Structure formats: structure tokens, C-alpha cells
């Protein structure tokens, strides 16, 4: 069953029909124009346009077009297609808090792009009708990106790809009220998000490994660690050395008066990371390198079933992470005895540092010499102090990135 709702009209009476079915969402653009007899009742032809809002593919078909109207219609079709391509996915409200809105698409260019559309749709006139936070997740992305516009490979299904939107006032104003009137530095936002992501990764891995154990399999659990300022790593140790591989990354941007927080977690697969070039970086890992989908799902007997299992794990990770951040931001002081402490800058730092491995050697990613350093301290505003391994020179970093 398909339902189509007419949108607003434009020149030449183009109509944008938003159509939804159980299996897909699509848009039909119908251009209706008057015949020579005049009047809107005399329809001389219809030009239809199909836009698949998941893959963004499109086709145009003409049915009995009027030669006198075709060129004028063509000049309007792209504008109308742009209007319809911004159609938002359907939303649901979180079961525990209707002020957290949840969106999901199968595929998109980037969940950050989708988040910007959601922000554009939020009105400032009626704040009571707006969400306090929102989540948009996707099963795959065609143009995922990381810091400094690096490519985030995510076209394959099976990883957690999502963006959380929070009002800037929730951090800049509301958090200050919960912290005895003291401003919490905005530079702590990526550390707060990083510790929440690390917590969810640790929980999810523990559940998966426990399922493996019940099936008679036993894999060593990796240690979840954080890397300043915006990554989560998995540490695997042997008798001779330790490896630190990237399992998640965080990207924070602003859109109007919202922060949009892009998060990618490698769940079902680890993308290949170049060792040189503009997209070079730390080697990646994923959940499936440590635990098995088949152990957790009796029906997971082939690659397709495994993929679907990891897609479901990814969806849960996205929703749970969004709910954790939303609940922390919007909890009232009288809801928790320790609420004031929970929202202080010191509490944010303490939690983040609980996942930090001080012995990890890091490489400055964007300096000519790519110096090797170790963290020696974290300042109250989130800046870090590092010491160069070769020279012993210390420096304070504000916006640098590590391999």
C-alpha cells in the first residue's frame, strides 16, 4: 500500500507527492498544465519524476507532453526535485523519552547531511513542538567523512553510522545552571561524547563475547581506550607488545543553533585505511574480529544473516548512545542526588580519563616530522600536555590530531 500526500505547488502547477510504503520511500513530481482550452481542469499532459530518497537515484518520464510547455517545465523540474529531495525520513519518539526523536534511513550520502535537513525543518516559533535531541542513523553512507574532510568508508552495511543533534543552549546555558552557574568548556564536548561511545562499545562487546562463551567459544576481550580528542580504540595485548586499532570516530559540527555530532563505530567490518595519502590513518578494527554473529543468532548461517545481525547491533548502539547523551544533558538536578557532580567539567574529564591508556604512544598526524609523543596531562578545558619521545620536549595541544 502506498500513500501520497501533495506538497506545495510551484510554477506550472508542479506537484510534489511524498509517497511512502513499507519497503521504500519515494517522491513523484507531477507537472500539470492547462490545455489550449484553458483552465486548470483541462490537463494537456503530465511529466513525472521519480526520486528515490534513499539512494538519491532519479529518472524522468514524459507522458503526452505539450511541446509548448516542455521547455518551461524543464526549467522548473530541478527546483522541485530539490524541494522533494529534502523529504525527511519518518520519525519515531524514544519509548522512554518522547523529547528524543529517532530517524533511520537505509542509505544516504552522510548522516551529517540528513541532520542538517532535520535542523532546517525545526521551527523556532513553537519550541514545545520541537525535540530536545534527535538521532539520525543509516545502514550505509556513500560520502561519509571524518575530521578535516577525510573519507570515512561506510558504503557497506553493518557498521553504526549516526548523528546526534543537541541544541547549543543545552550545553551553553542549561549545563551551566546544573553546574552552580559555572560554564562547562565547550572543548569538553568531544570528550563527553567519547566516553559515552566507549561505554556503549564496552557494553556491546561484553554482551557479544558472553554469547560466544555460552556457545563454547572463548575470545580474549580487548580493552576499550580513548584517543584525544575524538576517537575510541581497542587495545589487544600480547606477551611482547600491544596494538591499538581504531573502532570509532567522532565529528562535531554546528548547524544553526544546534550541534550535530557524527559518530561511526566499526561493528560488522573494519574498512581498509590507507597508510599514505590524504586519507591515511590508524588501522581499523571492528566487533566482528572479536566475537561472532552466528553465536548470538541461531538464524545467522550465512553472510547475509551475519550482515543483518550487525545492522541490528549497530541500530541499538546508535539509539542507546543518543539516549545516554540526551538523558545526561536534560536530567533535572532533583532526579539524581549526584546530578551536580555528573555535569561538572571535572566529572567529564574523570570519566574520559578512566578509558585513557597513559602508556600509549601517539604520532602527531599533521606535522612535517610526525613526532612521537605520550600524554602527560589533561587540562581542565580539555587541552592535553604531551612529551616528545625522542627529545623529551613538552607542549600543549589544542586542535591537533594523532594517528
Amino acid at each position: 500500500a502506498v500513500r501520497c500526500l501533495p506538497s506545495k505547488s510551484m510554477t506550472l502547477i508542479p506537484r510534489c507527492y511524498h509517497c511512502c510504503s513499507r519497503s521504500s520511500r519515494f517522491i513523484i513530481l507531477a507537472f500539470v498544465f492547462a490545455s489550449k482550452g484553458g483552465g486548470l481542469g483541462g490537463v494537456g499532459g503530465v511529466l513525472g519524476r521519480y526520486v528515490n530518497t534513499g539512494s538519491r537515484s532519479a529518472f524522468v518520464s514524459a507522458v503526452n507532453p505539450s511541446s509548448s510547455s516542455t521547455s518551461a517545465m524543464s526549467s522548473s523540474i530541478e527546483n522541485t526535485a530539490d524541494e522533494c529531495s529534502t523529504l525527511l525520513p519518518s520519525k519515531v519518539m524514544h519509548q522512554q523519552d518522547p523529547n528524543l526523536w529517532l530517524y533511520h534511513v537505509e542509505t544516504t550520502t552522510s548522516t551529517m547531511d540528513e541532520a542538517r535537513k532535520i535542523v532546517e525543518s525545526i521551527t523556532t516559533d513553537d519550541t514545545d513542538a520541537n525535540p530536545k535531541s534527535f538521532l539520525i542513523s543509516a545502514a550505509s553512507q556513500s560520502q561519509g567523512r571524518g575530521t578535516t574532510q577525510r573519507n570515512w568508508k561506510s558504503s557497506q552495511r553493518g557498521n553504526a553510522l549516526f548523528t546526534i543533534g543537541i541544541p547549543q543552549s543545552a550545553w551553553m546555558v542549561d549545563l551551566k545552571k546544573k553546574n552552580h552557574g559555572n560554564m562547562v568548556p565547550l572543548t569538553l564536548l568531544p570528550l563527553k561524547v567519547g566516553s559515552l561511545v566507549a561505554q556503549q562499545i564496552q557494553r556491546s562487546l561484553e554482551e557479544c563475547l558472553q554469547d560466544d562463551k555460552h556457545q563454547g567459544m572463548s575470545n580474549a576481550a580487548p580493552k576499550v581506550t580513548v584517543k584525544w580528542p575524538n576517537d575510541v580504540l581497542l587495545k589487544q595485548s600480547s606477551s611482547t607488545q600491544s596494538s591499538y586499532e581504531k573502532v570509532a570516530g567522532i565529528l562535531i559540527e554546528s548547524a544553526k543553533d544546534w550541534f550535530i555530532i557524527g559518530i561511526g563505530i566499526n561493528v560488522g567490518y573494519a574498512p581498509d585505511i590507507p597508510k599514505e595519502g590524504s586519507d591515511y590513518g590508524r588501522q581499523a578494527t571492528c566487533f566482528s574480529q572479536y566475537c561472532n554473529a552466528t553465536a548470538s543468532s541461531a538464524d545467522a548461517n550465512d553472510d547475509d544473516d551475519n550482515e543483518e545481525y550487525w545492522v541490528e547491533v549497530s541500530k541499538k548502539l546508535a539509539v542507546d548512545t543518543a539516549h545516554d547523551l540526551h538523558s545526561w544533558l536534560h536530567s533535572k538536578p532533583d532526579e539524581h542526588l549526584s546530578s551536580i557532580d555528573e555535569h561538572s567539567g571535572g566529572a567529564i574529564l574523570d570519566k574520559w580519563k578512566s578509558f585513557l591508556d597513559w602508556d600509549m604512544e601517539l604520532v602527531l598526524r599533521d606535522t612535517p616530522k610526525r613526532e612521537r609523543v605520550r600524554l602527560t596531562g589533561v587540562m581542565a578545558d580539555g587541552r592535553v600536555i604531551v612529551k616528545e619521545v625522542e627529545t623529551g620536549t613538552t607542549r600543549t595541544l589544542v586542535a591537533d590530531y594523532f594517528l
Side-chain angles (χ1 to χ4, degrees):
V2 174
R3 68 182 190 276
C4 298
L5 305 176
S7 181
K8 61 183 180 181
S9 61
M10 296 174 64
T11 308
L12 293 177
I13 326 168
R15 295 282 181 176
C16 169
Y17 291 90
H18 295 181
C19 305
C20 305
S21 69
R22 288 182 180 272
S23 60
S24 64
R25 302 185 330 282
F26 56 92
I27 300 166
I28 298 173
L29 308 187
F31 289 78
V32 184
F33 49 91
S35 65
K36 291 184 178 179
L40 297 184
V43 177
V46 174
L47 175 63
R49 173 108 172 203
Y50 170 88
V51 180
N52 184 324
T53 61
S55 64
R56 305 295 188 220
S57 62
F59 69 84
V60 178
S61 62
V63 181
N64 187 27
S66 166
S67 59
S68 62
S69 304
T70 301
S71 60
M73 289 164 60
S74 296
S75 67
S76 298
I77 191 169
E78 290 304 326
N79 289 335
T80 312
D82 290 341
E83 174 199 353
C84 292
S85 68
T86 60
L87 173 65
L88 296 178
S90 58
K91 72 172 184 289
V92 297
M93 296 176 181
H94 195 281
Q95 290 183 345
Q96 297 178 27
D97 191 336
N99 291 308
L100 171 58
W101 292 5
L102 310 176
Y103 301 83
H104 180 77
V105 294
E106 274 301 300
T107 185
T108 183
T109 53
S110 166
T111 58
M112 296 294 273
D113 297 336
E114 297 289 345
R116 290 185 181 279
K117 295 176 188 177
I118 294 170
V119 169
E120 288 293 332
S121 74
I122 295 174
T123 64
T124 56
D125 298 332
D126 186 5
T127 56
D128 290 337
N130 295 333
K132 289 186 177 179
S133 311
F134 68 81
L135 164 73
I136 171 69
S137 59
S140 67
Q141 299 178 134
S142 60
Q143 298 175 33
R145 63 183 185 274
T147 55
T148 61
Q149 297 300 311
R150 281 173 164 81
N151 179 35
W152 186 277
K153 296 182 179 180
S154 48
S155 59
Q156 182 179 337
R157 300 174 80 248
N159 284 349
L161 312 166
F162 58 102
T163 296
I164 302 169
I166 62 171
Q168 293 180 4
S169 60
W171 187 279
M172 308 300 290
V173 179
D174 299 344
L175 209 55
K176 181 178 178 180
K177 294 177 181 178
K178 298 173 183 177
N179 191 34
H180 292 296
N182 298 316
M183 178 71 74
V184 178
L186 183 58
T187 45
L188 296 184
L189 176 56
L191 305 189
K192 176 60 184 179
V193 176
S195 61
L196 289 177
V197 171
Q199 282 180 278
Q200 285 297 331
I201 289 173
Q202 183 169 281
R203 175 200 58 76
S204 189
L205 272 173
E206 287 174 351
E207 290 178 358
C208 188
L209 288 168
Q210 187 65 30
D211 288 338
D212 280 3
K213 187 176 181 180
H214 291 157
Q215 297 293 326
M217 306 177 210
S218 181
N219 294 321
K223 180 181 179 182
V224 180
T225 67
V226 291
K227 178 170 71 69
W228 185 88
N230 57 355
D231 287 344
V232 181
L233 312 177
L234 296 184
K235 175 185 178 182
Q236 188 69 23
S237 299
S238 66
S239 58
T240 57
Q241 63 180 3
S242 296
S243 65
Y244 299 86
E245 296 178 320
K246 184 171 178 175
V247 70
I250 299 161
L251 174 67
I252 302 177
E253 297 176 350
S254 61
K256 287 192 171 180
D257 53 355
W258 287 71
F259 293 123
I260 52 175
I261 305 163
I263 300 170
I265 305 174
N266 299 332
V267 180
Y269 68 95
D272 293 328
I273 306 299
K275 295 184 179 180
E276 293 295 335
S278 59
D279 290 328
Y280 83 95
R282 181 179 293 270
Q283 294 306 292
T285 188
C286 60
F287 287 23
S288 64
Q289 293 182 0
Y290 294 94
C291 57
N292 300 282
T294 51
S296 302
S297 174
D299 297 327
N301 295 318
D302 55 36
D303 290 342
D304 289 341
D305 289 330
N306 286 347
E307 180 182 273
E308 290 307 315
Y309 170 75
W310 294 123
V311 167
E312 291 306 312
V313 172
S314 297
K315 286 180 180 178
K316 187 176 189 310
L317 273 169
V319 172
D320 289 350
T321 303
H323 186 252
D324 279 355
L325 180 59
H326 171 84
S327 300
W328 177 80
L329 275 174
H330 299 293
S331 62
K332 297 178 181 178
D334 60 355
E335 289 181 359
H336 305 287
L337 293 176
S338 59
S339 178
I340 295 294
D341 293 333
E342 283 183 344
H343 295 95
S344 69
I348 294 172
L349 284 174
D350 288 344
K351 189 64 179 180
W352 183 81
K353 287 190 289 186
S354 71
F355 288 101
L356 184 62
D357 189 333
W358 293 95
D359 295 327
M360 179 170 54
E361 189 174 287
L362 302 164
V363 177
L364 288 171
R365 189 177 72 185
D366 299 319
T367 60
K369 295 182 179 179
R370 295 186 184 177
E371 298 91 339
R372 294 183 299 129
V373 299
R374 283 194 176 91
L375 263 65
T376 60
V378 183
M379 301 176 71
D381 59 2
R383 290 178 293 165
V384 292
I385 303 169
V386 300
K387 177 186 284 189
E388 291 187 23
V389 173
E390 286 84 1
T391 65
T393 303
T394 61
R395 64 173 82 175
T396 301
L397 303 182
V398 179
D400 301 79
Y401 292 99
F402 298 122
L403 283 179

